[in-house]
Amino acid sequence: MARKVTRYPTEGHNSLWYIYRTVSPWKGVKNFIFIQIARYCPILPLKNWIYRQILGMKVGKHTAFGLMAMVDVFFPEKITVGDNSIIGYNTTILAHEYLIKEYRLGEVVIGENVLIGANTTILPGVTIGDGAVVAAGSVVHKDVAAGAFVGGNPLRELKRGPDVEPAEQG
């Protein structure tokens, strides 16, 4: 299934040169500063407060963002993470892509009780269902079904081994 993104064609230069037609440079600077504070902050309630109140993300109760997690600088308000989910160390969540001849924007929805392993990249326009587990180092380029265990690049369904328990369903 294709990601749910809106495409905006550009002409002339690569699309990143058109970024300030889509987002204020001051918003980018403000978001970058607060995202950097949150990335290094060890206090989970404070991190979530920054994400909710300053960046406009929808973050559920008891959700934990690991150290160095990086959310979209220009469109964090397009990111939703459900209750009791864990976003692993150094994970990147993108709601935009600037390509050579177009840019794309898309909502990212991460369900409840989801585990995202460290160093994962989540691309715009994907939904990760409740109770899913995404293995460390994965690139999430398509939707993930509720309860699925996925990993890799390209992303694929993985078998559950004895050390991998299904995420608790809410």
Side-chain angles (χ1 to χ4, degrees), residues 35-134:
I35 288 167
Q36 292 306 314
I37 291 168
R39 290 183 79 193
Y40 289 94
C41 179
I43 304 166
L44 296 176
L46 178 56
K47 281 176 115 133
N48 288 352
W49 182 87
I50 291 170
Y51 292 140
R52 290 180 192 119
Q53 301 302 318
I54 296 176
L55 300 176
M57 292 170 53
K58 293 165 217 70
V59 176
K61 294 178 183 173
H62 302 107
T63 287
F65 285 80
L67 190 66
M68 301 299 294
M70 182 70 185
V71 299
D72 194 286
V73 171
F74 299 117
F75 302 97
E77 68 278 4
K78 293 183 173 291
I79 299 171
T80 300
V81 184
D83 294 343
N84 205 46
S85 290
I86 296 174
I87 309 300
Y89 175 88
N90 206 38
T91 288
T92 300
I93 305 173
L94 296 171
H96 78 273
E97 309 180 283
Y98 284 87
L99 307 173
I100 299 296
K101 295 185 179 189
E102 70 179 12
Y103 65 92
R104 302 172 186 168
L105 304 178
E107 303 275 334
V108 174
V109 179
I110 300 170
E112 296 184 2
N113 301 302
V114 172
L115 174 62
I116 306 293
N119 295 304
T120 293
T121 300
I122 300 171
L123 297 179
V126 300
T127 297
I128 300 173
D130 293 346
V133 175
V134 178

Side-chain angles (χ1 to χ4, degrees), residues 10-18 99-101:
T10 59
E11 291 186 18
H13 310 294
N14 72 67
S15 66
L16 198 52
W17 282 94
Y18 298 94
L99 307 173
I100 299 296
K101 295 185 179 189

